[in-house]
Structures are given as structure tokens and as C-alpha cells.
Amino acid sequence: MIGPSDIPTLPRGVRLHYDRVRETWVLLAPERAITLDAVGHAILSEVDGTRSFAQITAGLAQKYKAPAEEIARDSAGFLGALRDRRFLDVTQ
């Protein structure tokens, strides 16, 4: 589980990319790709390797005028799944 003070970052070789053919955002890694929906893109576009998970979710809650607890719960699940698949690093 990702904690409030954890700092998510995209590891070397992993990046967000707009696929013009499919007209959608994807997360690219060596020999792998994940198509992102609008929510996934919104979350990952805030991951900069310097801000903590709490800062990211607070910013998303403010930007989308949504409950911070709900944003944190959904984001933790999404980012946790990416970490498990090695698309994301998390430092404490």
C-alpha cells in the first residue's frame, strides 16, 4: 500500500506518451504498454518524482473538486497496481 509520505516516480525507461494513432494516452515501458483512461492519465500526469502521494492526491482533489479520501483510495489502488507490475517506483 502506498502511504501519504511515499513519493511515486516513473522508473527509467517508463514514460507517458500520447498515441496519435489511437488518440489516447499510454504508459510506455520497454516492450510493454498500458492504455490509460482519463482517470489514470490524470493521476500519472501529477507524478513528478518530487511530490508525496498526499500532495498529489490533495492537488487532484482540489483540481477535480472531489473528496480527498476517495481520490486517495482510488489513486492508491491504481498506483499500487502499477508498482506491482514495475511501471512505478515508490520511495519512502
Side-chain angles (χ1 to χ4, degrees):
M1 188 63 140
I2 296 177
S5 62
D6 292 345
I7 299 173
T9 186
L10 296 178
R12 184 177 178 186
V14 177
R15 64 186 173 93
L16 279 174
H17 174 75
Y18 185 74
D19 185 332
R20 293 181 191 177
V21 173
R22 293 181 185 91
E23 297 182 348
T24 191
W25 284 95
V26 293
L27 185 61
L28 295 178
E31 302 197 23
R32 300 179 291 163
I34 295 177
T35 301
L36 300 172
D37 62 9
V39 174
H41 177 257
I43 295 168
L44 285 175
S45 65
E46 298 295 321
V47 172
D48 62 7
T50 61
R51 291 185 294 155
S52 70
F53 178 69
Q55 292 170 317
I56 290 169
T57 55
L60 288 168
Q62 182 179 7
K63 183 176 181 178
Y64 293 102
K65 298 180 184 2
E69 302 81 29
E70 185 176 327
I71 296 282
R73 183 179 57 247
D74 293 345
S75 297
F78 175 70
L79 293 177
L82 290 178
R83 181 184 59 195
D84 292 345
R85 295 175 67 188
R86 296 192 175 125
F87 280 92
L88 186 80
D89 287 337
V90 177
T91 57
Q92 299 176 339

